[in-house]
mmCIF file of all heavy atoms in Angstrom:
data_model
loop_
_atom_site.group_PDB
_atom_site.id
_atom_site.type_symbol
_atom_site.label_atom_id
_atom_site.label_comp_id
_atom_site.label_asym_id
_atom_site.label_seq_id
_atom_site.Cartn_x
_atom_site.Cartn_y
_atom_site.Cartn_z
ATOM 1 N N LYS A 1 7.782 55.529 48.902
ATOM 2 C CA LYS A 1 7.025 56.741 48.588
ATOM 3 C C LYS A 1 5.572 56.367 48.382
ATOM 4 O O LYS A 1 5.262 55.393 47.687
ATOM 5 C CB LYS A 1 7.564 57.430 47.311
ATOM 6 C CG LYS A 1 6.864 58.729 46.962
ATOM 7 C CD LYS A 1 7.488 59.405 45.749
ATOM 8 C CE LYS A 1 6.814 60.726 45.427
ATOM 9 N NZ LYS A 1 7.435 61.394 44.247
ATOM 10 N N ILE A 2 4.673 57.127 48.998
ATOM 11 C CA ILE A 2 3.236 56.901 48.836
ATOM 12 C C ILE A 2 2.631 58.167 48.238
ATOM 13 O O ILE A 2 2.875 59.277 48.726
ATOM 14 C CB ILE A 2 2.554 56.592 50.188
ATOM 15 C CG1 ILE A 2 3.130 55.301 50.783
ATOM 16 C CG2 ILE A 2 1.060 56.472 50.032
ATOM 17 C CD1 ILE A 2 2.589 54.975 52.161
ATOM 18 N N VAL A 3 1.893 57.985 47.158
ATOM 19 C CA VAL A 3 1.252 59.107 46.448
ATOM 20 C C VAL A 3 -0.260 58.875 46.386
ATOM 21 O O VAL A 3 -0.700 57.887 45.799
ATOM 22 C CB VAL A 3 1.808 59.280 45.024
ATOM 23 C CG1 VAL A 3 1.187 60.506 44.381
ATOM 24 C CG2 VAL A 3 3.339 59.380 45.048
ATOM 25 N N PHE A 4 -1.018 59.776 46.972
ATOM 26 C CA PHE A 4 -2.477 59.720 46.899
ATOM 27 C C PHE A 4 -2.913 60.596 45.717
ATOM 28 O O PHE A 4 -2.680 61.819 45.722
ATOM 29 C CB PHE A 4 -3.103 60.220 48.206
ATOM 30 C CG PHE A 4 -2.763 59.419 49.399
ATOM 31 C CD1 PHE A 4 -1.751 59.836 50.265
ATOM 32 C CD2 PHE A 4 -3.436 58.230 49.688
ATOM 33 C CE1 PHE A 4 -1.417 59.061 51.386
ATOM 34 C CE2 PHE A 4 -3.096 57.469 50.802
ATOM 35 C CZ PHE A 4 -2.089 57.884 51.662
ATOM 36 N N LEU A 5 -3.511 59.978 44.715
ATOM 37 C CA LEU A 5 -3.929 60.707 43.509
ATOM 38 C C LEU A 5 -5.295 61.364 43.734
ATOM 39 O O LEU A 5 -5.952 61.139 44.756
ATOM 40 C CB LEU A 5 -3.968 59.741 42.322
ATOM 41 C CG LEU A 5 -2.678 58.946 42.069
ATOM 42 C CD1 LEU A 5 -2.839 58.049 40.834
ATOM 43 C CD2 LEU A 5 -1.484 59.878 41.895
ATOM 44 N N LYS A 6 -5.708 62.169 42.777
ATOM 45 C CA LYS A 6 -6.981 62.870 42.903
ATOM 46 C C LYS A 6 -8.149 61.897 42.964
ATOM 47 O O LYS A 6 -8.158 60.895 42.246
ATOM 48 C CB LYS A 6 -7.144 63.851 41.739
ATOM 49 C CG LYS A 6 -6.170 65.005 41.741
ATOM 50 C CD LYS A 6 -6.435 65.989 40.606
ATOM 51 C CE LYS A 6 -5.474 67.164 40.657
ATOM 52 N NZ LYS A 6 -5.710 68.137 39.562
ATOM 53 N N PRO A 7 -9.120 62.183 43.837
ATOM 54 C CA PRO A 7 -10.261 61.257 43.993
ATOM 55 C C PRO A 7 -11.111 61.184 42.724
ATOM 56 O O PRO A 7 -11.243 62.146 41.980
ATOM 57 C CB PRO A 7 -11.035 61.874 45.157
ATOM 58 C CG PRO A 7 -10.632 63.298 45.188
ATOM 59 C CD PRO A 7 -9.204 63.363 44.715
ATOM 60 N N VAL A 8 -11.690 60.008 42.528
ATOM 61 C CA VAL A 8 -12.578 59.760 41.394
ATOM 62 C C VAL A 8 -13.996 59.634 41.916
ATOM 63 O O VAL A 8 -14.267 58.783 42.777
ATOM 64 C CB VAL A 8 -12.160 58.488 40.656
ATOM 65 C CG1 VAL A 8 -13.139 58.182 39.511
ATOM 66 C CG2 VAL A 8 -10.726 58.607 40.124
ATOM 67 N N GLN A 9 -14.886 60.437 41.398
ATOM 68 C CA GLN A 9 -16.316 60.334 41.722
ATOM 69 C C GLN A 9 -17.036 59.771 40.497
ATOM 70 O O GLN A 9 -17.111 60.407 39.449
ATOM 71 C CB GLN A 9 -16.892 61.702 42.097
ATOM 72 C CG GLN A 9 -18.360 61.671 42.447
ATOM 73 C CD GLN A 9 -18.615 61.063 43.825
ATOM 74 O OE1 GLN A 9 -18.256 61.642 44.830
ATOM 75 N NE2 GLN A 9 -19.239 59.889 43.840
ATOM 76 N N LEU A 10 -17.554 58.581 40.633
ATOM 77 C CA LEU A 10 -18.206 57.936 39.496
ATOM 78 C C LEU A 10 -19.582 58.556 39.229
ATOM 79 O O LEU A 10 -20.384 58.701 40.167
ATOM 80 C CB LEU A 10 -18.386 56.421 39.742
ATOM 81 C CG LEU A 10 -17.079 55.642 39.972
ATOM 82 C CD1 LEU A 10 -17.398 54.184 40.237
ATOM 83 C CD2 LEU A 10 -16.123 55.788 38.807
ATOM 84 N N PRO A 11 -19.874 58.904 37.964
ATOM 85 C CA PRO A 11 -21.160 59.546 37.629
ATOM 86 C C PRO A 11 -22.274 58.533 37.342
ATOM 87 O O PRO A 11 -23.027 58.701 36.396
ATOM 88 C CB PRO A 11 -20.805 60.343 36.370
ATOM 89 C CG PRO A 11 -19.771 59.513 35.687
ATOM 90 C CD PRO A 11 -18.972 58.869 36.796
ATOM 91 N N PHE A 12 -22.304 57.464 38.165
ATOM 92 C CA PHE A 12 -23.304 56.440 37.970
ATOM 93 C C PHE A 12 -23.953 56.098 39.306
ATOM 94 O O PHE A 12 -23.330 56.154 40.349
ATOM 95 C CB PHE A 12 -22.676 55.164 37.369
ATOM 96 C CG PHE A 12 -21.897 55.410 36.110
ATOM 97 C CD1 PHE A 12 -20.500 55.466 36.138
ATOM 98 C CD2 PHE A 12 -22.549 55.573 34.890
ATOM 99 C CE1 PHE A 12 -19.763 55.686 34.978
ATOM 100 C CE2 PHE A 12 -21.827 55.805 33.732
ATOM 101 C CZ PHE A 12 -20.451 55.872 33.772
ATOM 102 N N ASP A 13 -25.242 55.722 39.236
ATOM 103 C CA ASP A 13 -25.912 55.350 40.454
ATOM 104 C C ASP A 13 -25.882 53.847 40.678
ATOM 105 O O ASP A 13 -25.302 53.099 39.877
ATOM 106 C CB ASP A 13 -27.375 55.868 40.471
ATOM 107 C CG ASP A 13 -28.163 55.381 39.241
ATOM 108 O OD1 ASP A 13 -27.860 54.288 38.733
ATOM 109 O OD2 ASP A 13 -29.054 56.122 38.803
ATOM 110 N N ALA A 14 -26.514 53.393 41.742
ATOM 111 C CA ALA A 14 -26.451 51.997 42.140
ATOM 112 C C ALA A 14 -27.070 51.052 41.122
ATOM 113 O O ALA A 14 -26.748 49.854 41.094
ATOM 114 C CB ALA A 14 -27.151 51.812 43.496
ATOM 115 N N GLU A 15 -27.930 51.565 40.265
ATOM 116 C CA GLU A 15 -28.575 50.700 39.255
ATOM 117 C C GLU A 15 -27.551 50.124 38.260
ATOM 118 O O GLU A 15 -27.814 49.094 37.641
ATOM 119 C CB GLU A 15 -29.640 51.481 38.513
ATOM 120 C CG GLU A 15 -30.834 51.891 39.395
ATOM 121 C CD GLU A 15 -31.863 52.655 38.612
ATOM 122 O OE1 GLU A 15 -31.655 52.894 37.400
ATOM 123 O OE2 GLU A 15 -32.918 53.008 39.206
ATOM 124 N N LYS A 16 -26.417 50.810 38.100
ATOM 125 C CA LYS A 16 -25.406 50.379 37.140
ATOM 126 C C LYS A 16 -24.453 49.288 37.709
ATOM 127 O O LYS A 16 -23.562 48.853 37.034
ATOM 128 C CB LYS A 16 -24.576 51.579 36.679
ATOM 129 C CG LYS A 16 -25.369 52.577 35.854
ATOM 130 C CD LYS A 16 -25.743 52.014 34.504
ATOM 131 C CE LYS A 16 -26.405 53.047 33.622
ATOM 132 N NZ LYS A 16 -26.754 52.487 32.278
ATOM 133 N N VAL A 17 -24.675 48.919 38.974
ATOM 134 C CA VAL A 17 -23.761 47.992 39.636
ATOM 135 C C VAL A 17 -23.753 46.630 38.951
ATOM 136 O O VAL A 17 -22.756 45.880 39.022
ATOM 137 C CB VAL A 17 -24.101 47.867 41.115
ATOM 138 C CG1 VAL A 17 -25.374 47.050 41.335
ATOM 139 C CG2 VAL A 17 -22.932 47.241 41.893
ATOM 140 N N THR A 18 -24.831 46.272 38.281
ATOM 141 C CA THR A 18 -24.914 44.977 37.580
ATOM 142 C C THR A 18 -24.418 45.033 36.141
ATOM 143 O O THR A 18 -24.385 43.984 35.464
ATOM 144 C CB THR A 18 -26.371 44.472 37.592
ATOM 145 O OG1 THR A 18 -27.205 45.442 36.960
ATOM 146 C CG2 THR A 18 -26.870 44.225 39.015
ATOM 147 N N ASP A 19 -23.995 46.196 35.683
ATOM 148 C CA ASP A 19 -23.462 46.330 34.324
ATOM 149 C C ASP A 19 -22.000 45.927 34.339
ATOM 150 O O ASP A 19 -21.105 46.705 34.629
ATOM 151 C CB ASP A 19 -23.606 47.793 33.859
ATOM 152 C CG ASP A 19 -23.277 47.970 32.375
ATOM 153 O OD1 ASP A 19 -22.491 47.192 31.849
ATOM 154 O OD2 ASP A 19 -23.814 48.918 31.770
ATOM 155 N N ARG A 20 -21.742 44.656 34.026
ATOM 156 C CA ARG A 20 -20.407 44.119 34.144
ATOM 157 C C ARG A 20 -19.399 44.787 33.191
ATOM 158 O O ARG A 20 -18.251 45.017 33.555
ATOM 159 C CB ARG A 20 -20.441 42.620 33.885
ATOM 160 C CG ARG A 20 -21.313 41.832 34.849
ATOM 161 C CD ARG A 20 -21.310 40.341 34.559
ATOM 162 N NE ARG A 20 -19.992 39.747 34.673
ATOM 163 C CZ ARG A 20 -19.744 38.465 34.452
ATOM 164 N NH1 ARG A 20 -20.711 37.645 34.072
ATOM 165 N NH2 ARG A 20 -18.516 38.007 34.574
ATOM 166 N N GLU A 21 -19.884 45.100 32.007
ATOM 167 C CA GLU A 21 -18.979 45.745 31.037
ATOM 168 C C GLU A 21 -18.558 47.125 31.488
ATOM 169 O O GLU A 21 -17.383 47.513 31.384
ATOM 170 C CB GLU A 21 -19.674 45.824 29.681
ATOM 171 C CG GLU A 21 -18.775 46.388 28.565
ATOM 172 C CD GLU A 21 -19.415 46.371 27.198
ATOM 173 O OE1 GLU A 21 -20.532 45.818 27.059
ATOM 174 O OE2 GLU A 21 -18.813 46.939 26.264
ATOM 175 N N LEU A 22 -19.519 47.880 32.039
ATOM 176 C CA LEU A 22 -19.200 49.230 32.549
ATOM 177 C C LEU A 22 -18.220 49.153 33.715
ATOM 178 O O LEU A 22 -17.223 49.904 33.744
ATOM 179 C CB LEU A 22 -20.484 49.928 32.982
ATOM 180 C CG LEU A 22 -20.322 51.306 33.625
ATOM 181 C CD1 LEU A 22 -19.700 52.278 32.630
ATOM 182 C CD2 LEU A 22 -21.665 51.841 34.135
ATOM 183 N N CYS A 23 -18.479 48.236 34.654
ATOM 184 C CA CYS A 23 -17.596 48.105 35.807
ATOM 185 C C CYS A 23 -16.173 47.676 35.367
ATOM 186 O O CYS A 23 -15.192 48.183 35.916
ATOM 187 C CB CYS A 23 -18.154 47.083 36.785
ATOM 188 S SG CYS A 23 -19.685 47.614 37.615
ATOM 189 N N HIS A 24 -16.119 46.822 34.361
ATOM 190 C CA HIS A 24 -14.824 46.393 33.862
ATOM 191 C C HIS A 24 -14.076 47.563 33.186
ATOM 192 O O HIS A 24 -12.859 47.771 33.413
ATOM 193 C CB HIS A 24 -15.019 45.268 32.825
ATOM 194 C CG HIS A 24 -13.746 44.764 32.235
ATOM 195 N ND1 HIS A 24 -13.160 45.334 31.136
ATOM 196 C CD2 HIS A 24 -12.917 43.746 32.598
ATOM 197 C CE1 HIS A 24 -12.044 44.724 30.837
ATOM 198 N NE2 HIS A 24 -11.878 43.733 31.700
ATOM 199 N N ASP A 25 -14.788 48.370 32.431
ATOM 200 C CA ASP A 25 -14.161 49.507 31.734
ATOM 201 C C ASP A 25 -13.635 50.522 32.748
ATOM 202 O O ASP A 25 -12.541 51.079 32.579
ATOM 203 C CB ASP A 25 -15.182 50.173 30.783
ATOM 204 C CG ASP A 25 -15.482 49.309 29.580
ATOM 205 O OD1 ASP A 25 -14.719 48.363 29.305
ATOM 206 O OD2 ASP A 25 -16.496 49.589 28.893
ATOM 207 N N ILE A 26 -14.424 50.811 33.792
ATOM 208 C CA ILE A 26 -13.991 51.790 34.810
ATOM 209 C C ILE A 26 -12.763 51.262 35.541
ATOM 210 O O ILE A 26 -11.779 51.998 35.749
ATOM 211 C CB ILE A 26 -15.133 52.074 35.799
ATOM 212 C CG1 ILE A 26 -16.297 52.763 35.095
ATOM 213 C CG2 ILE A 26 -14.638 52.908 36.966
ATOM 214 C CD1 ILE A 26 -17.546 52.885 35.944
ATOM 215 N N SER A 27 -12.828 49.987 35.960
ATOM 216 C CA SER A 27 -11.706 49.385 36.656
ATOM 217 C C SER A 27 -10.444 49.404 35.794
ATOM 218 O O SER A 27 -9.351 49.768 36.290
ATOM 219 C CB SER A 27 -12.065 47.934 37.020
ATOM 220 O OG SER A 27 -10.949 47.262 37.584
ATOM 221 N N SER A 28 -10.576 49.069 34.514
ATOM 222 C CA SER A 28 -9.420 49.063 33.599
ATOM 223 C C SER A 28 -8.824 50.452 33.401
ATOM 224 O O SER A 28 -7.627 50.642 33.312
ATOM 225 C CB SER A 28 -9.837 48.464 32.250
ATOM 226 O OG SER A 28 -10.243 47.119 32.415
ATOM 227 N N GLU A 29 -9.725 51.449 33.350
ATOM 228 C CA GLU A 29 -9.257 52.834 33.155
ATOM 229 C C GLU A 29 -8.475 53.317 34.380
ATOM 230 O O GLU A 29 -7.417 53.969 34.211
ATOM 231 C CB GLU A 29 -10.450 53.750 32.891
ATOM 232 C CG GLU A 29 -10.035 55.183 32.587
ATOM 233 C CD GLU A 29 -11.227 56.078 32.244
ATOM 234 O OE1 GLU A 29 -12.332 55.537 32.034
ATOM 235 O OE2 GLU A 29 -11.049 57.326 32.191
ATOM 236 N N ILE A 30 -8.976 53.014 35.566
ATOM 237 C CA ILE A 30 -8.269 53.399 36.788
ATOM 238 C C ILE A 30 -6.914 52.684 36.876
ATOM 239 O O ILE A 30 -5.904 53.267 37.220
ATOM 240 C CB ILE A 30 -9.114 53.107 38.027
ATOM 241 C CG1 ILE A 30 -10.347 54.034 38.055
ATOM 242 C CG2 ILE A 30 -8.311 53.277 39.306
ATOM 243 C CD1 ILE A 30 -11.325 53.723 39.166
ATOM 244 N N GLN A 31 -6.933 51.386 36.522
ATOM 245 C CA GLN A 31 -5.674 50.622 36.525
ATOM 246 C C GLN A 31 -4.685 51.208 35.529
ATOM 247 O O GLN A 31 -3.480 51.333 35.851
ATOM 248 C CB GLN A 31 -5.957 49.156 36.158
ATOM 249 C CG GLN A 31 -4.694 48.310 36.103
ATOM 250 C CD GLN A 31 -4.980 46.854 35.794
ATOM 251 O OE1 GLN A 31 -6.095 46.389 35.932
ATOM 252 N NE2 GLN A 31 -3.968 46.107 35.355
ATOM 253 N N GLU A 32 -5.124 51.567 34.335
ATOM 254 C CA GLU A 32 -4.246 52.131 33.345
ATOM 255 C C GLU A 32 -3.647 53.456 33.816
ATOM 256 O O GLU A 32 -2.441 53.718 33.635
ATOM 257 C CB GLU A 32 -4.990 52.339 32.046
ATOM 258 C CG GLU A 32 -4.148 52.845 30.903
ATOM 259 C CD GLU A 32 -4.938 53.013 29.601
ATOM 260 O OE1 GLU A 32 -6.060 52.506 29.508
ATOM 261 O OE2 GLU A 32 -4.399 53.653 28.649
ATOM 262 N N ASP A 33 -4.451 54.317 34.419
ATOM 263 C CA ASP A 33 -3.967 55.597 34.923
ATOM 264 C C ASP A 33 -2.930 55.384 36.028
ATOM 265 O O ASP A 33 -1.914 56.107 36.073
ATOM 266 C CB ASP A 33 -5.120 56.433 35.443
ATOM 267 C CG ASP A 33 -6.037 56.943 34.321
ATOM 268 O OD1 ASP A 33 -5.596 56.933 33.154
ATOM 269 O OD2 ASP A 33 -7.172 57.337 34.613
ATOM 270 N N MET A 34 -3.172 54.416 36.911
ATOM 271 C CA MET A 34 -2.226 54.141 37.994
ATOM 272 C C MET A 34 -0.927 53.576 37.438
ATOM 273 O O MET A 34 0.170 53.927 37.929
ATOM 274 C CB MET A 34 -2.870 53.174 39.009
ATOM 275 C CG MET A 34 -3.947 53.796 39.847
ATOM 276 S SD MET A 34 -4.743 52.603 40.974
ATOM 277 C CE MET A 34 -3.359 52.101 42.001
ATOM 278 N N GLN A 35 -1.027 52.722 36.439
ATOM 279 C CA GLN A 35 0.193 52.152 35.840
ATOM 280 C C GLN A 35 1.058 53.239 35.197
ATOM 281 O O GLN A 35 2.288 53.239 35.353
ATOM 282 C CB GLN A 35 -0.166 51.090 34.790
ATOM 283 C CG GLN A 35 1.031 50.353 34.229
ATOM 284 C CD GLN A 35 1.712 49.468 35.253
ATOM 285 O OE1 GLN A 35 1.155 48.461 35.677
ATOM 286 N NE2 GLN A 35 2.922 49.833 35.634
ATOM 287 N N LYS A 36 0.431 54.194 34.530
ATOM 288 C CA LYS A 36 1.157 55.286 33.921
ATOM 289 C C LYS A 36 1.886 56.131 35.003
ATOM 290 O O LYS A 36 3.038 56.529 34.844
ATOM 291 C CB LYS A 36 0.238 56.187 33.126
ATOM 292 C CG LYS A 36 -0.282 55.549 31.835
ATOM 293 C CD LYS A 36 -1.238 56.491 31.104
ATOM 294 C CE LYS A 36 -1.753 55.871 29.821
ATOM 295 N NZ LYS A 36 -2.755 56.745 29.141
ATOM 296 N N LYS A 37 1.187 56.369 36.125
ATOM 297 C CA LYS A 37 1.780 57.137 37.215
ATOM 298 C C LYS A 37 2.950 56.373 37.841
ATOM 299 O O LYS A 37 3.992 56.940 38.136
ATOM 300 C CB LYS A 37 0.706 57.435 38.256
ATOM 301 C CG LYS A 37 1.229 58.184 39.488
ATOM 302 C CD LYS A 37 1.766 59.566 39.141
ATOM 303 C CE LYS A 37 2.162 60.315 40.404
ATOM 304 N NZ LYS A 37 2.764 61.638 40.078
ATOM 305 N N ILE A 38 2.767 55.062 38.034
ATOM 306 C CA ILE A 38 3.847 54.234 38.571
ATOM 307 C C ILE A 38 5.074 54.274 37.655
ATOM 308 O O ILE A 38 6.206 54.434 38.117
ATOM 309 C CB ILE A 38 3.368 52.789 38.748
ATOM 310 C CG1 ILE A 38 2.380 52.665 39.912
ATOM 311 C CG2 ILE A 38 4.554 51.823 38.964
ATOM 312 C CD1 ILE A 38 1.770 51.290 40.077
ATOM 313 N N ASN A 39 4.853 54.134 36.351
ATOM 314 C CA ASN A 39 5.947 54.150 35.404
ATOM 315 C C ASN A 39 6.714 55.480 35.455
ATOM 316 O O ASN A 39 7.960 55.486 35.395
ATOM 317 C CB ASN A 39 5.430 53.928 33.973
ATOM 318 C CG ASN A 39 4.832 52.536 33.788
ATOM 319 O OD1 ASN A 39 5.087 51.648 34.590
ATOM 320 N ND2 ASN A 39 4.060 52.348 32.728
ATOM 321 N N ARG A 40 5.999 56.606 35.576
ATOM 322 C CA ARG A 40 6.660 57.908 35.656
ATOM 323 C C ARG A 40 7.455 58.034 36.950
ATOM 324 O O ARG A 40 8.607 58.521 36.937
ATOM 325 C CB ARG A 40 5.611 59.036 35.585
ATOM 326 C CG ARG A 40 5.001 59.204 34.195
ATOM 327 C CD ARG A 40 4.270 60.539 34.096
ATOM 328 N NE ARG A 40 3.168 60.633 35.008
ATOM 329 C CZ ARG A 40 1.904 60.291 34.723
ATOM 330 N NH1 ARG A 40 1.624 59.802 33.531
ATOM 331 N NH2 ARG A 40 0.932 60.428 35.613
ATOM 332 N N GLU A 41 6.889 57.571 38.037
ATOM 333 C CA GLU A 41 7.576 57.670 39.333
ATOM 334 C C GLU A 41 8.843 56.789 39.343
ATOM 335 O O GLU A 41 9.877 57.237 39.839
ATOM 336 C CB GLU A 41 6.639 57.216 40.463
ATOM 337 C CG GLU A 41 5.487 58.210 40.748
ATOM 338 C CD GLU A 41 5.975 59.462 41.469
ATOM 339 O OE1 GLU A 41 7.106 59.432 42.009
ATOM 340 O OE2 GLU A 41 5.235 60.457 41.467
ATOM 341 N N ILE A 42 8.740 55.596 38.802
ATOM 342 C CA ILE A 42 9.899 54.690 38.758
ATOM 343 C C ILE A 42 11.007 55.288 37.895
ATOM 344 O O ILE A 42 12.180 55.227 38.253
ATOM 345 C CB ILE A 42 9.477 53.327 38.199
ATOM 346 C CG1 ILE A 42 8.544 52.601 39.192
ATOM 347 C CG2 ILE A 42 10.704 52.456 37.937
ATOM 348 C CD1 ILE A 42 9.144 52.283 40.521
ATOM 349 N N LYS A 43 10.640 55.884 36.782
ATOM 350 C CA LYS A 43 11.616 56.488 35.885
ATOM 351 C C LYS A 43 12.314 57.639 36.560
ATOM 352 O O LYS A 43 13.532 57.829 36.403
ATOM 353 C CB LYS A 43 10.925 56.961 34.599
ATOM 354 C CG LYS A 43 11.858 57.551 33.573
ATOM 355 C CD LYS A 43 11.123 58.002 32.323
ATOM 356 C CE LYS A 43 12.077 58.600 31.297
ATOM 357 N NZ LYS A 43 11.338 59.023 30.061
#
């Protein structure tokens, strides 16, 4: 089963690309949301 979730549009411009903490937080949030969806689907 393949599920395409709702698209995410980041509210940041290219100047924030060097903000490592911000990029880490966004990546972790997307990962957490995907893990929750995976867990629900598996259940």
